[in-house]
Protein backbone atom coordinates (compact mmCIF):
# COMPACT_ATOMS: atom_id res chain seq x y z
CA UNK A 1 0.00 0.00 0.00
CA UNK A 2 1.30 3.41 -0.94
CA UNK A 3 1.98 5.95 1.76
CA UNK A 4 2.67 9.59 0.98
CA UNK A 5 4.09 10.23 4.47
CA UNK A 6 7.88 9.94 4.38
CA UNK A 7 9.18 11.80 7.43
CA UNK A 8 12.57 13.48 7.02
CA UNK A 9 12.56 13.00 3.21
CA UNK A 10 14.25 16.36 2.67
CA UNK A 11 17.21 15.34 4.85
CA UNK A 12 18.04 12.21 2.82
CA UNK A 13 20.60 11.84 0.05
CA UNK A 14 19.39 11.41 -3.53
CA UNK A 15 19.92 7.64 -3.40
CA UNK A 16 18.15 7.34 -0.05
CA UNK A 17 15.22 9.36 -1.35
CA UNK A 18 14.85 7.11 -4.38
CA UNK A 19 14.97 4.01 -2.21
CA UNK A 20 12.41 5.40 0.23
CA UNK A 21 10.17 6.53 -2.61
CA UNK A 22 10.17 3.11 -4.28
CA UNK A 23 9.36 1.59 -0.92
CA UNK A 24 6.57 4.03 -0.10
CA UNK A 25 5.00 3.65 -3.55
CA UNK A 26 5.39 -0.12 -3.65
CA UNK A 27 7.47 0.14 -6.82
CA UNK A 28 10.83 -1.27 -7.82
CA UNK A 29 13.79 1.10 -8.14
CA UNK A 30 13.66 0.22 -11.85
CA UNK A 31 10.24 1.86 -12.10
CA UNK A 32 11.91 5.13 -11.10
CA UNK A 33 14.71 4.96 -13.71
CA UNK A 34 12.83 7.19 -16.20
CA UNK A 35 13.04 9.99 -13.62
CA UNK A 36 16.84 9.95 -13.72
CA UNK A 37 17.37 9.29 -17.44
CA UNK A 38 14.07 10.35 -18.94
CA UNK A 39 14.17 11.48 -22.53
CA UNK A 40 16.70 10.70 -25.22
CA UNK A 41 17.27 13.00 -28.17
CA UNK A 42 16.29 10.06 -30.40
CA UNK A 43 12.78 10.06 -28.95
CA UNK A 44 12.65 13.86 -28.77
CA UNK A 45 13.38 13.89 -32.54
CA UNK A 46 10.02 12.32 -33.11
CA UNK A 47 8.16 14.65 -30.77
CA UNK A 48 8.90 18.11 -32.17
CA UNK A 49 10.75 19.72 -35.06
CA UNK A 50 14.39 20.78 -35.52
CA UNK A 51 15.49 18.91 -32.38
CA UNK A 52 19.11 19.26 -31.34
CA UNK A 53 18.82 18.02 -27.74
CA UNK A 54 16.64 17.91 -24.65
CA UNK A 55 16.23 20.24 -21.66
CA UNK A 56 16.01 19.04 -18.08
CA UNK A 57 14.20 20.49 -15.06
CA UNK A 58 14.17 19.37 -11.41
CA UNK A 59 11.64 16.69 -10.50
CA UNK A 60 10.63 16.52 -6.83
CA UNK A 61 7.94 14.68 -4.90
CA UNK A 62 4.93 16.35 -3.29
CA UNK A 63 4.47 14.44 -0.03
CA UNK A 64 1.59 13.94 2.41
CA UNK A 65 -1.18 14.09 -0.19
CA UNK A 66 -4.37 12.26 0.67
CA UNK A 67 -6.87 12.60 -2.19
CA UNK A 68 -10.29 10.99 -1.84
CA UNK A 69 -8.94 8.80 0.93
CA UNK A 70 -5.98 7.57 -1.13
CA UNK A 71 -2.32 8.37 -0.42
CA UNK A 72 -0.66 9.86 -3.49
CA UNK A 73 3.03 10.62 -4.06
CA UNK A 74 2.95 13.51 -6.50
CA UNK A 75 5.73 14.04 -9.08
CA UNK A 76 6.31 17.76 -9.63
CA UNK A 77 8.53 19.25 -12.34
CA UNK A 78 9.44 22.85 -11.59
CA UNK A 79 12.40 25.24 -11.52
CA UNK A 80 11.06 27.47 -8.70
CA UNK A 81 12.22 26.80 -5.13
CA UNK A 82 9.81 26.37 -2.19
CA UNK A 83 6.80 25.23 -4.24
CA UNK A 84 7.20 21.50 -3.53
CA UNK A 85 7.97 22.14 0.15
CA UNK A 86 4.96 24.47 0.47
CA UNK A 87 2.52 22.06 -1.18
CA UNK A 88 3.81 19.14 0.90
CA UNK A 89 3.47 21.07 4.14
CA UNK A 90 -0.10 22.15 3.39
CA UNK A 91 -0.99 18.61 2.35
CA UNK A 92 0.19 17.56 5.80
CA UNK A 93 -2.10 20.11 7.49
CA UNK A 94 -4.98 19.03 5.24
CA UNK A 95 -4.53 15.38 6.31
CA UNK A 96 -5.68 16.36 9.77
CA UNK A 97 -9.04 17.30 8.21
CA UNK A 98 -9.27 14.16 6.06
CA UNK A 99 -7.13 15.34 3.15
CA UNK A 100 -8.57 16.55 -0.14
CA UNK A 101 -11.99 15.65 -1.48
CA UNK A 102 -12.00 15.98 -5.24
CA UNK A 103 -14.55 15.47 -8.00
CA UNK A 104 -14.58 15.98 -11.74
CA UNK A 105 -17.12 16.22 -14.52
CA UNK A 106 -17.34 13.95 -17.54
CA UNK A 107 -14.38 14.68 -19.88
CA UNK A 108 -16.36 16.90 -22.25
CA UNK A 109 -14.39 19.07 -24.65
CA UNK A 110 -15.77 21.81 -26.87
CA UNK A 111 -14.94 22.05 -30.59
CA UNK A 112 -15.80 25.26 -32.40
CA UNK A 113 -16.82 25.82 -36.03
CA UNK A 114 -17.03 29.41 -37.23
CA UNK A 115 -19.66 29.76 -39.98
CA UNK A 116 -19.39 32.80 -42.25
CA UNK A 117 -21.28 34.14 -45.32
CA UNK A 118 -24.76 33.36 -44.02
CA UNK A 119 -27.76 35.27 -45.34
CA UNK A 120 -29.90 34.48 -42.30
CA UNK A 121 -27.85 33.55 -39.22
CA UNK A 122 -30.86 32.73 -36.99
CA UNK A 123 -32.30 30.40 -39.61
CA UNK A 124 -28.94 28.71 -40.11
CA UNK A 125 -28.66 28.16 -36.36
CA UNK A 126 -32.12 26.56 -36.28
CA UNK A 127 -31.23 24.31 -39.21
CA UNK A 128 -28.10 23.06 -37.45
CA UNK A 129 -30.12 22.22 -34.33
CA UNK A 130 -32.77 20.47 -36.44
CA UNK A 131 -30.03 18.15 -37.76
CA UNK A 132 -28.44 17.54 -34.35
CA UNK A 133 -29.05 13.78 -34.10
CA UNK A 134 -27.76 13.18 -37.62
CA UNK A 135 -24.63 15.29 -36.96
CA UNK A 136 -23.79 13.46 -33.72
CA UNK A 137 -24.19 10.08 -35.39
CA UNK A 138 -22.00 11.24 -38.27
CA UNK A 139 -19.16 12.26 -35.91
CA UNK A 140 -19.31 8.95 -34.05
CA UNK A 141 -19.38 6.92 -37.26
CA UNK A 142 -16.39 8.71 -38.75
CA UNK A 143 -14.44 8.79 -35.44
CA UNK A 144 -15.34 5.43 -33.97
CA UNK A 145 -12.30 5.04 -31.69
CA UNK A 146 -13.65 7.31 -28.96
CA UNK A 147 -17.19 5.94 -29.34
CA UNK A 148 -15.91 2.42 -28.82
CA UNK A 149 -14.21 3.54 -25.57
CA UNK A 150 -17.42 4.98 -24.15
CA UNK A 151 -16.82 8.55 -25.36
CA UNK A 152 -17.98 10.32 -28.50
CA UNK A 153 -20.19 13.17 -29.68
CA UNK A 154 -22.61 14.32 -26.97
CA UNK A 155 -24.24 17.52 -28.16
CA UNK A 156 -24.35 20.25 -30.77
CA UNK A 157 -24.91 23.82 -29.66
CA UNK A 158 -25.20 27.07 -31.60
CA UNK A 159 -24.14 30.58 -30.64
CA UNK A 160 -24.56 33.78 -32.59
CA UNK A 161 -21.70 36.23 -32.14
CA UNK A 162 -23.48 39.53 -32.78
CA UNK A 163 -20.63 41.94 -32.41
CA UNK A 164 -17.21 41.29 -33.93
CA UNK A 165 -14.79 43.25 -36.15
CA UNK A 166 -16.33 41.50 -39.19
CA UNK A 167 -19.93 41.73 -37.97
CA UNK A 168 -22.20 38.89 -36.89
CA UNK A 169 -21.54 35.19 -37.53
CA UNK A 170 -22.60 31.76 -36.34
CA UNK A 171 -20.56 29.47 -34.10
CA UNK A 172 -21.38 25.78 -33.81
CA UNK A 173 -20.10 23.90 -30.75
CA UNK A 174 -19.47 20.18 -30.80
CA UNK A 175 -19.52 18.76 -27.27
CA UNK A 176 -17.22 15.76 -27.38
CA UNK A 177 -16.48 13.18 -24.70
CA UNK A 178 -12.79 12.33 -25.06
CA UNK A 179 -12.52 9.87 -22.15
CA UNK A 180 -8.87 9.50 -21.06
CA UNK A 181 -7.32 11.74 -23.73
CA UNK A 182 -6.61 15.46 -23.41
CA UNK A 183 -8.53 15.44 -26.64
CA UNK A 184 -7.27 18.41 -28.67
CA UNK A 185 -6.36 16.33 -31.70
CA UNK A 186 -9.50 14.22 -31.39
CA UNK A 187 -11.73 17.31 -31.23
CA UNK A 188 -9.94 19.07 -34.06
CA UNK A 189 -10.29 16.00 -36.29
CA UNK A 190 -13.98 15.73 -35.46
CA UNK A 191 -14.53 19.43 -36.24
CA UNK A 192 -12.81 19.10 -39.59
CA UNK A 193 -14.95 16.08 -40.43
CA UNK A 194 -18.09 17.94 -39.40
CA UNK A 195 -17.38 21.11 -41.39
CA UNK A 196 -18.68 20.01 -44.85
CA UNK A 197 -21.92 18.79 -43.22
CA UNK A 198 -22.41 22.17 -41.52
CA UNK A 199 -21.78 23.92 -44.84
CA UNK A 200 -24.36 21.72 -46.58
CA UNK A 201 -26.95 22.39 -43.88
CA UNK A 202 -26.43 26.16 -43.54
CA UNK A 203 -25.30 27.18 -47.02
CA UNK A 204 -22.52 29.15 -45.33
CA UNK A 205 -18.74 28.71 -45.29
CA UNK A 206 -17.06 27.05 -42.31
CA UNK A 207 -13.93 28.98 -41.52
CA UNK A 208 -12.16 27.92 -38.25
CA UNK A 209 -12.48 24.36 -36.95
CA UNK A 210 -10.70 23.98 -33.61
CA UNK A 211 -11.19 23.11 -29.96
CA UNK A 212 -11.69 25.72 -27.26
CA UNK A 213 -9.20 25.71 -24.38
CA UNK A 214 -11.90 27.23 -22.18
CA UNK A 215 -12.97 23.69 -21.23
CA UNK A 216 -15.70 24.72 -18.83
CA UNK A 217 -17.56 21.43 -19.36
CA UNK A 218 -14.50 19.55 -18.20
CA UNK A 219 -13.97 20.76 -14.66
CA UNK A 220 -12.22 19.43 -11.59
CA UNK A 221 -12.91 20.54 -8.04
CA UNK A 222 -11.00 19.99 -4.79
CA UNK A 223 -11.93 20.97 -1.26
CA UNK A 224 -10.06 20.68 2.00
CA UNK A 225 -10.91 21.44 5.58
CA UNK A 226 -8.11 22.47 7.94
CA UNK A 227 -8.96 22.18 11.65
CA UNK A 228 -8.29 25.67 13.01
CA UNK A 229 -5.95 24.34 15.70
CA UNK A 230 -3.62 22.93 13.00
CA UNK A 231 -2.98 26.44 11.70
CA UNK A 232 -1.34 27.81 14.85
CA UNK A 233 2.42 28.27 14.69
CA UNK A 234 5.27 30.42 15.95
CA UNK A 235 7.31 32.33 13.40
CA UNK A 236 11.00 32.58 14.11
CA UNK A 237 12.92 35.56 12.79
CA UNK A 238 16.44 35.52 14.17
CA UNK A 239 16.03 35.80 17.94
CA UNK A 240 12.49 37.22 17.63
CA UNK A 241 9.56 34.84 17.90
CA UNK A 242 6.05 35.72 16.82
CA UNK A 243 3.19 33.41 17.75
CA UNK A 244 0.11 33.11 15.50
CA UNK A 245 -3.09 31.50 16.76
CA UNK A 246 -5.06 29.24 14.44
CA UNK A 247 -7.76 31.91 14.27
CA UNK A 248 -5.17 34.56 13.26
CA UNK A 249 -3.92 32.40 10.42
CA UNK A 250 -7.41 31.35 9.27
CA UNK A 251 -8.75 34.90 9.22
CA UNK A 252 -5.54 36.12 7.58
CA UNK A 253 -5.96 33.57 4.78
CA UNK A 254 -9.62 34.53 4.29
CA UNK A 255 -8.72 38.23 4.11
CA UNK A 256 -5.94 37.45 1.61
CA UNK A 257 -8.45 35.51 -0.52
CA UNK A 258 -10.91 38.43 -0.31
CA UNK A 259 -8.25 40.68 -1.87
CA UNK A 260 -7.90 38.27 -4.84
CA UNK A 261 -11.67 37.87 -5.16
CA UNK A 262 -12.11 41.63 -5.50
CA UNK A 263 -9.01 42.81 -7.37
CA UNK A 264 -7.66 41.52 -10.71
CA UNK A 265 -4.13 42.76 -9.93
CA UNK A 266 -4.04 40.56 -6.86
CA UNK A 267 -6.04 37.75 -8.51
CA UNK A 268 -3.39 37.33 -11.22
CA UNK A 269 -0.72 36.60 -8.60
CA UNK A 270 -3.08 34.54 -6.45
CA UNK A 271 -3.91 32.35 -9.46
CA UNK A 272 -0.22 32.19 -10.42
CA UNK A 273 0.30 30.63 -6.99
CA UNK A 274 -2.36 28.04 -7.79
CA UNK A 275 -0.67 27.30 -11.12
CA UNK A 276 2.60 26.82 -9.19
CA UNK A 277 1.00 23.62 -7.92
CA UNK A 278 -0.90 22.70 -11.08
CA UNK A 279 1.73 23.09 -13.81
CA UNK A 280 4.44 20.89 -12.22
CA UNK A 281 2.09 17.88 -12.20
CA UNK A 282 0.75 18.69 -15.67
CA UNK A 283 4.33 18.82 -16.97
CA UNK A 284 5.45 15.69 -15.08
CA UNK A 285 2.65 13.70 -16.73
CA UNK A 286 3.47 14.88 -20.27
CA UNK A 287 0.40 17.08 -20.54
CA UNK A 288 -0.05 20.41 -22.31
CA UNK A 289 0.44 23.08 -19.64
CA UNK A 290 -0.25 25.97 -22.06
CA UNK A 291 -3.71 24.51 -22.58
CA UNK A 292 -4.27 24.29 -18.81
CA UNK A 293 -2.99 27.84 -18.26
CA UNK A 294 -5.20 29.21 -21.05
CA UNK A 295 -8.27 27.45 -19.65
CA UNK A 296 -7.55 28.56 -16.08
CA UNK A 297 -7.22 32.25 -16.84
CA UNK A 298 -10.11 32.36 -19.31
CA UNK A 299 -12.28 30.68 -16.67
CA UNK A 300 -11.09 33.14 -14.01
CA UNK A 301 -12.39 35.96 -16.23
CA UNK A 302 -15.70 34.27 -17.11
CA UNK A 303 -17.87 36.91 -15.41
CA UNK A 304 -16.17 39.69 -17.38
CA UNK A 305 -13.99 40.49 -14.38
CA UNK A 306 -10.85 38.45 -13.70
CA UNK A 307 -11.02 36.92 -10.23
CA UNK A 308 -9.71 34.23 -7.89
CA UNK A 309 -10.02 30.60 -8.99
CA UNK A 310 -10.26 29.46 -5.37
CA UNK A 311 -12.48 30.29 -2.40
CA UNK A 312 -11.41 30.34 1.27
CA UNK A 313 -13.97 30.54 4.09
CA UNK A 314 -14.68 29.21 7.57
CA UNK A 315 -17.29 26.60 8.40
CA UNK A 316 -19.70 26.52 11.36
CA UNK A 317 -17.04 24.90 13.58
CA UNK A 318 -14.49 27.58 12.73
CA UNK A 319 -12.37 25.34 10.46
CA UNK A 320 -10.70 26.82 7.40
CA UNK A 321 -12.31 25.48 4.21
CA UNK A 322 -10.73 25.88 0.78
CA UNK A 323 -12.26 25.10 -2.62
CA UNK A 324 -10.67 25.17 -6.05
CA UNK A 325 -12.74 24.53 -9.15
CA UNK A 326 -11.29 25.03 -12.61
CA UNK A 327 -11.12 23.57 -16.12
CA UNK A 328 -8.77 20.59 -16.23
CA UNK A 329 -8.22 19.04 -19.66
CA UNK A 330 -5.50 16.47 -19.00
CA UNK A 331 -5.02 13.02 -20.48
CA UNK A 332 -3.29 9.77 -19.66
CA UNK A 333 -3.24 8.65 -23.31
CA UNK A 334 -2.36 10.55 -26.48
CA UNK A 335 -0.09 13.54 -26.99
CA UNK A 336 3.27 13.12 -25.25
CA UNK A 337 1.88 11.05 -22.37
CA UNK A 338 2.79 7.67 -23.87
CA UNK A 339 5.98 8.73 -25.66
CA UNK A 340 7.76 10.27 -22.68
CA UNK A 341 8.95 7.53 -20.34
CA UNK A 342 9.04 9.89 -17.32
CA UNK A 343 5.39 10.80 -17.95
CA UNK A 344 4.54 7.10 -17.85
CA UNK A 345 6.56 6.66 -14.65
CA UNK A 346 4.76 9.67 -13.14
CA UNK A 347 1.36 8.09 -13.80
CA UNK A 348 2.60 4.80 -12.35
CA UNK A 349 3.94 6.54 -9.23
CA UNK A 350 0.51 8.09 -8.61
CA UNK A 351 -1.23 4.87 -9.63
CA UNK A 352 -3.54 6.88 -11.84
CA UNK A 353 -5.99 4.88 -13.96
CA UNK A 354 -8.10 7.59 -15.61
CA UNK A 355 -7.82 11.16 -16.83
CA UNK A 356 -10.47 12.15 -14.26
CA UNK A 357 -8.42 10.73 -11.42
CA UNK A 358 -5.37 12.67 -12.63
CA UNK A 359 -7.41 15.90 -12.89
CA UNK A 360 -8.62 15.41 -9.30
CA UNK A 361 -5.06 15.03 -7.97
CA UNK A 362 -3.90 18.08 -9.92
CA UNK A 363 -6.57 20.44 -8.50
CA UNK A 364 -5.78 19.15 -5.01
CA UNK A 365 -2.13 20.11 -5.47
CA UNK A 366 -3.21 23.51 -6.82
CA UNK A 367 -5.33 24.10 -3.73
CA UNK A 368 -2.50 23.04 -1.39
CA UNK A 369 -0.07 25.35 -3.14
CA UNK A 370 -2.55 28.23 -3.01
CA UNK A 371 -2.88 27.76 0.72
CA UNK A 372 0.90 27.64 1.20
CA UNK A 373 1.27 31.03 -0.47
CA UNK A 374 -1.69 32.59 1.37
CA UNK A 375 -0.52 31.30 4.74
CA UNK A 376 2.96 32.75 4.24
CA UNK A 377 1.62 36.07 2.91
CA UNK A 378 -0.90 36.37 5.72
CA UNK A 379 1.66 35.71 8.46
CA UNK A 380 5.43 36.09 8.20
CA UNK A 381 5.57 37.20 4.55
CA UNK A 382 6.54 35.17 1.52
CA UNK A 383 10.26 35.95 1.50
CA UNK A 384 11.44 34.21 4.66
CA UNK A 385 10.63 30.67 3.50
CA UNK A 386 11.24 31.45 -0.12
CA UNK A 387 14.56 33.16 0.38
CA UNK A 388 16.26 30.35 2.26
CA UNK A 389 15.60 28.07 -0.73
CA UNK A 390 16.24 30.77 -3.30
CA UNK A 391 19.59 31.49 -1.59
CA UNK A 392 20.89 28.09 -2.73
CA UNK A 393 20.18 28.92 -6.37
CA UNK A 394 21.90 32.28 -5.93
CA UNK A 395 24.90 30.55 -4.34
CA UNK A 396 25.16 28.16 -7.31
CA UNK A 397 24.80 31.06 -9.75
CA UNK A 398 27.72 32.75 -7.94
CA UNK A 399 29.89 29.69 -8.56
CA UNK A 400 29.47 27.68 -5.34
CA UNK A 401 29.48 23.90 -5.55
CA UNK A 402 29.30 20.92 -3.16
CA UNK A 403 29.23 21.81 0.54
CA UNK A 404 29.89 25.47 -0.22
CA UNK A 405 26.36 25.89 -1.62
CA UNK A 406 24.79 25.38 1.82
CA UNK A 407 27.44 27.50 3.55
CA UNK A 408 27.05 30.48 1.25
CA UNK A 409 23.25 30.19 1.25
CA UNK A 410 22.87 30.02 5.01
CA UNK A 411 25.19 32.98 5.58
CA UNK A 412 23.16 35.08 3.12
CA UNK A 413 19.91 34.07 4.83
CA UNK A 414 21.38 34.98 8.22
CA UNK A 415 22.46 38.35 6.92
CA UNK A 416 19.13 38.72 5.09
CA UNK A 417 21.01 39.71 1.95
CA UNK A 418 20.33 37.21 -0.83
CA UNK A 419 22.11 38.67 -3.81
CA UNK A 420 24.60 37.31 -6.29
CA UNK A 421 27.25 39.97 -5.50
CA UNK A 422 27.06 39.09 -1.80
CA UNK A 423 27.24 35.38 -2.63
CA UNK A 424 30.40 36.02 -4.65
CA UNK A 425 31.96 37.94 -1.73
CA UNK A 426 31.13 35.20 0.77
CA UNK A 427 32.47 32.59 -1.62
CA UNK A 428 35.78 34.44 -1.86
CA UNK A 429 36.13 34.59 1.95
CA UNK A 430 35.39 30.87 2.21
P1 LIG B 1 -4.09 11.97 -29.49
O1 LIG B 1 -4.80 12.22 -30.78
O2 LIG B 1 -2.65 11.62 -29.53
O3 LIG B 1 -4.86 10.86 -28.65
C1 LIG B 1 -6.25 10.74 -28.61
C2 LIG B 1 -6.61 9.42 -29.23
O4 LIG B 1 -6.17 8.35 -28.43
C3 LIG B 1 -8.10 9.25 -29.32
O5 LIG B 1 -8.64 9.80 -30.49
C4 LIG B 1 -8.24 7.72 -29.31
O6 LIG B 1 -8.22 7.22 -30.62
C5 LIG B 1 -6.98 7.22 -28.63
N1 LIG B 1 -7.27 6.55 -27.34
C6 LIG B 1 -6.74 5.38 -26.91
N2 LIG B 1 -7.18 5.05 -25.68
C7 LIG B 1 -8.02 6.03 -25.30
C8 LIG B 1 -8.81 6.28 -24.13
N3 LIG B 1 -8.82 5.42 -23.07
N4 LIG B 1 -9.52 7.41 -24.05
C9 LIG B 1 -9.50 8.30 -25.07
N5 LIG B 1 -8.82 8.12 -26.22
C10 LIG B 1 -8.06 7.00 -26.34
O7 LIG B 1 -4.14 13.23 -28.52
P2 LIG B 1 -5.30 14.18 -28.00
O8 LIG B 1 -5.49 13.89 -26.58
O9 LIG B 1 -6.50 14.17 -28.89
O10 LIG B 1 -4.58 15.60 -28.16
C11 LIG B 1 -3.60 16.02 -27.24
C12 LIG B 1 -2.47 16.72 -27.96
O11 LIG B 1 -3.00 17.79 -28.76
C13 LIG B 1 -1.51 17.36 -27.01
O12 LIG B 1 -0.20 17.00 -27.41
C14 LIG B 1 -1.71 18.87 -27.24
O13 LIG B 1 -0.53 19.56 -26.99
C15 LIG B 1 -2.11 18.91 -28.67
N6 LIG B 1 -2.85 20.09 -29.17
C16 LIG B 1 -3.36 21.04 -28.35
C17 LIG B 1 -4.08 22.10 -28.88
C18 LIG B 1 -4.69 23.11 -27.95
O14 LIG B 1 -4.74 22.87 -26.75
N7 LIG B 1 -5.21 24.23 -28.43
C19 LIG B 1 -4.28 22.18 -30.25
C20 LIG B 1 -3.76 21.18 -31.08
C21 LIG B 1 -3.05 20.12 -30.53
Amino acid sequence: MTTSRIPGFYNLTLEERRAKLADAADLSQGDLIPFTSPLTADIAMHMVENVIGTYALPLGIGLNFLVNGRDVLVPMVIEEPSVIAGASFMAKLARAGGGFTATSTEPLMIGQLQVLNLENIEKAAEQVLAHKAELLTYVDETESSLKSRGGGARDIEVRIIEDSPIGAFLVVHLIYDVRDAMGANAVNTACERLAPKIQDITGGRVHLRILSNLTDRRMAKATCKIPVGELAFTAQDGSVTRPFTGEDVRDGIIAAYAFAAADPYRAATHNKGIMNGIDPVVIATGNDWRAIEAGAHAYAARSGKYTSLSIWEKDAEGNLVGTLEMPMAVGIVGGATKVHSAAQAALKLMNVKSANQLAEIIVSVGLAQNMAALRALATEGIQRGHMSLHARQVAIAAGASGALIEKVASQMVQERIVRIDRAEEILRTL
Side-chain angles (χ1 to χ4, degrees):
M1 263 269 285
T2 298
T3 174
S4 62
R5 297 272 303 119
I6 315 180
F9 194 68
Y10 64 98
N11 278 327
L12 304 177
T13 64
L14 271 176
E15 279 65 33
E16 287 167 343
R17 284 182 194 167
R18 288 178 193 140
K20 282 265 185 201
L21 180 65
D23 227 27
D26 235 349
L27 296 176
S28 72
Q29 293 237 24
D31 290 324
L32 305 182
I33 287 173
F35 292 144
T36 45
S37 52
L39 185 66
T40 63
D42 278 356
I43 300 281
M45 289 256 292
H46 302 291
M47 293 174 72
V48 300
E49 311 74 37
N50 297 353
V51 166
I52 56 140
T54 59
Y55 180 100
L57 284 171
L59 182 146
I61 303 295
L63 298 172
N64 305 319
F65 277 90
L66 187 64
V67 180
N68 292 334
R70 196 171 74 85
D71 269 55
V72 190
L73 289 150
V74 185
M76 299 176 76
V77 171
I78 186 164
E79 87 297 347
E80 186 177 344
S82 84
V83 167
I84 299 171
S88 300
F89 182 45
M90 293 310 131
K92 193 168 157 193
L93 295 189
R95 283 181 91 87
F100 297 88
T101 304
T103 55
S104 51
T105 62
E106 293 291 295
L108 298 180
M109 298 292 282
I110 300 169
Q112 299 194 292
L113 295 95
Q114 180 190 25
V115 194
L116 304 177
N117 306 348
L118 291 169
E119 272 170 25
N120 185 332
I121 299 179
E122 282 81 11
K123 193 162 168 236
E126 281 167 23
Q127 284 166 334
V128 170
L129 291 180
H131 287 80
K132 187 188 280 194
E134 174 198 328
L135 290 170
L136 295 177
T137 307
Y138 179 74
V139 170
D140 283 340
E141 276 171 4
T142 49
E143 282 301 317
S144 58
S145 92
L146 278 171
K147 176 82 179 159
S148 66
R149 292 183 166 88
R154 293 285 183 259
D155 204 359
I156 297 278
E157 295 171 350
V158 289
R159 294 170 54 224
I160 296 172
I161 305 282
E162 298 283 1
D163 194 15
S164 90
I166 56 158
F169 55 83
L170 176 67
V171 177
V172 177
H173 278 190
L174 167 66
I175 311 297
Y176 204 38
D177 184 328
V178 297
R179 292 287 96 196
D180 289 320
M182 180 271 185
N185 286 322
V187 171
N188 293 346
T189 307
C191 286
E192 292 190 2
R193 292 262 159 80
L194 202 54
K197 284 268 174 201
I198 298 291
Q199 295 194 152
D200 288 349
I201 291 167
T202 61
R205 176 173 73 83
V206 172
H207 190 48
L208 298 200
R209 302 149 296 170
I210 178 109
L211 86 154
S212 169
N213 286 113
L214 175 51
T215 62
D216 59 3
R217 309 288 173 89
R218 191 178 191 182
M219 303 284 288
K221 179 177 175 180
T223 59
C224 65
K225 180 171 76 180
I226 319 287
V228 69
E230 292 291 318
L231 292 167
F233 79 107
T234 300
Q236 188 84 38
D237 189 356
S239 57
V240 182
T241 56
R242 199 171 149 208
F244 289 94
T245 67
E247 285 76 10
D248 287 341
V249 178
R250 178 198 65 202
D251 296 345
I253 288 175
I254 293 172
Y257 149 69
F259 188 2
D263 176 28
Y265 285 94
R266 172 61 206 143
T269 317
H270 176 97
N271 290 341
K272 191 274 181 184
I274 291 173
M275 302 315 286
N276 271 349
I278 304 272
D279 287 342
V281 196
V282 173
I283 296 171
T285 52
N287 275 287
D288 184 338
W289 69 93
R290 287 87 55 210
I292 298 301
E293 286 278 347
H297 299 295
Y299 186 72
R302 67 197 176 283
S303 70
K305 182 182 170 190
Y306 187 88
T307 188
S308 167
L309 285 166
S310 64
I311 295 171
W312 290 93
E313 55 205 344
K314 66 176 176 184
D315 69 8
E317 286 86 51
N319 303 307
L320 177 68
V321 178
T323 307
L324 172 63
E325 186 171 24
M326 59 184 285
M328 192 50 67
V330 287
I332 59 166
V333 297
T337 57
K338 285 265 196 260
V339 184
H340 199 301
S341 60
Q344 283 298 300
L347 293 175
K348 190 162 186 186
L349 179 65
M350 291 187 283
N351 196 13
V352 156
K353 299 281 189 261
S354 70
N356 281 68
Q357 212 183 359
L358 176 59
E360 289 166 10
I361 293 169
I362 292 174
V363 277
S364 301
V365 182
L367 186 60
Q369 186 53 40
N370 182 214
M371 186 182 152
L374 294 183
R375 176 183 172 277
L377 285 168
T379 57
E380 52 189 343
I382 203 88
Q383 285 307 74
R384 205 198 61 79
H386 199 268
M387 271 307 165
S388 57
L389 290 159
H390 176 58
R392 290 192 209 151
Q393 279 193 2
V394 174
I396 295 169
S401 60
L404 284 178
I405 299 171
E406 248 353 288
K407 280 193 180 152
V408 174
S410 59
Q411 186 168 336
M412 283 194 294
V413 170
Q414 240 172 24
E415 295 173 355
R416 311 182 81 175
I417 305 172
V418 182
R419 280 201 324 256
I420 189 142
D421 55 328
R422 182 62 193 137
E424 282 164 356
E425 280 169 20
I426 299 171
L427 202 54
R428 275 196 292 275
T429 64
L430 290 172

